[in-house]
Amino acid sequence: MGDKIQSELNELADLIERFDRGEITLGDFCREGTHYGVYPQRQPGKFFVRVRILCGIISPIQMEKLAQVAQTWGANQCHLTTRQCVEIHGLALSDIVTALSALAALGLDSHETGGATVRNIVLCPHAGVGNDETIDVMPFAAWLARHLLRHPDYQSLPRKIKIGVSCCRADCARTLIQDIGFQSRMDVSGEYLGFHVVVGGGLGASPRVGRTLIEFVPAAEILLVVDAILRVFNRLGDRENRKRGRLKFLVE
């Protein structure tokens, strides 16, 4: 476990202690706790944690550890999410840090799986094995995810950001309903690998279909594109009206 993750777990432990002592309300705890992927459940005294699975790819030993944590401290179940994360429900407040420490030892953590952050990047499940994929997008999605996770400029955005990366024309990552979507492409000459970029998609009460931002960007430049989008969103996104805070409204 790295020093940074240990420091975050210490911060979470301090937050839990303050809530347990009655120094902060449940609402205050939720506002801060979701940044660490910790959420209250409807059952009194029970919480769940959302664990990030990078690119939706998990090793057998990591899967065994998730099961062990769920059996030892949770409700003996793991919930799969639409963003390729895993949730462990039924945790007591006093067991959360211990459970997350056990997962962190195997490279699994919950940081930025909640709150106004960049959430786990959804990757097309056929990446690397699909017959009709343009390119294997997994290395690019992982590169992007590692760049964004714990980025100091993106820890308090106006609202959450969801990103999807598709490898084929079928768009299995549903990029048109993501805040930012990357669809793999070859350039018109058929020589260079890259992505078609869409922005401003989303579901919820006010669904929107993503709009084309860039017809083709070379694969090596995707970090520049994402940073530019997030800087604009960070500066101009609506922080006053939560219902209008998502990127789709700024694009509109």
Side-chain angles (χ1 to χ4, degrees):
M1 186 193 314
D3 292 341
K4 180 62 176 176
I5 295 178
Q6 184 59 64
S7 175
E8 291 165 358
L9 290 173
N10 291 341
E11 292 170 3
L12 178 58
D14 179 65
L15 179 67
I16 289 171
E17 288 179 7
R18 287 191 287 130
F19 173 61
D20 204 32
R21 291 195 298 264
E23 296 175 7
I24 58 175
T25 66
L26 178 60
D28 294 331
F29 178 80
C30 291
R31 278 187 288 275
E32 295 188 49
T34 54
H35 197 86
Y36 301 95
V38 178
Y39 290 81
Q41 294 181 207
R42 292 178 180 175
Q43 300 88 341
K46 295 296 182 181
F47 295 80
F48 74 87
V49 296
R50 184 179 296 140
V51 182
R52 179 186 299 269
I53 308 298
L54 181 65
C55 294
I57 298 172
I58 188 169
S59 70
I61 191 170
Q62 288 175 324
M63 191 173 290
E64 287 180 356
K65 179 57 70 173
L66 281 168
Q68 182 185 47
V69 168
Q71 288 175 333
T72 304
W73 296 290
N76 203 27
Q77 290 181 335
C78 287
H79 298 241
L80 305 183
T81 79
T82 55
R83 300 210 66 77
Q84 299 170 336
C85 294
V86 174
E87 291 178 357
I88 299 176
H89 290 231
L91 292 162
L93 193 65
S94 57
D95 293 330
I96 290 174
V97 173
T98 303
L100 289 177
S101 295
L103 294 172
L106 288 180
L108 296 170
D109 75 273
S110 61
H111 202 262
E112 293 167 62
T113 56
T117 61
V118 179
R119 303 296 181 85
N120 199 37
I121 294 175
V122 170
L123 177 67
C124 179
H126 305 297
V129 296
N131 291 328
D132 62 342
E133 66 180 0
T134 308
I135 57 175
D136 180 4
V137 299
M138 195 281 287
F140 299 102
W143 183 40
L144 188 57
R146 293 190 177 100
H147 171 71
L148 294 171
L149 183 61
R150 296 182 173 85
H151 194 296
D153 293 341
Y154 310 140
Q155 298 301 300
S156 184
L157 296 166
R159 283 294 303 278
K160 60 189 173 184
I161 286 287
K162 296 180 177 181
I163 299 175
V165 182
S166 281
C167 68
C168 58
R169 293 286 180 174
D171 193 20
C172 295
R174 303 292 185 265
T175 57
L176 292 178
I177 59 170
Q178 310 284 351
D179 292 288
I180 306 170
F182 290 93
Q183 304 166 358
S184 65
R185 294 284 192 276
M186 299 291 289
D187 74 331
V188 291
S189 69
E191 183 178 358
Y192 297 105
L193 306 175
F195 293 91
H196 178 86
V197 185
V198 295
V199 296
L203 297 179
S206 302
R208 297 289 189 279
V209 174
R211 305 181 188 185
T212 296
L213 177 69
I214 305 174
E215 287 288 348
F216 179 85
V217 61
E221 296 179 14
I222 58 174
L223 298 190
L224 299 176
V225 172
V226 167
D227 282 338
I229 295 169
L230 293 180
R231 283 198 299 269
V232 171
F233 179 54
N234 217 358
R235 188 172 72 248
L236 301 178
D238 193 336
R239 295 178 182 273
E240 301 300 321
N241 184 354
R242 179 177 172 80
K243 293 181 179 180
R244 301 281 299 179
R246 295 293 297 274
L247 179 62
K248 59 187 177 183
F249 297 109
L250 180 59
V251 169
E252 194 169 82

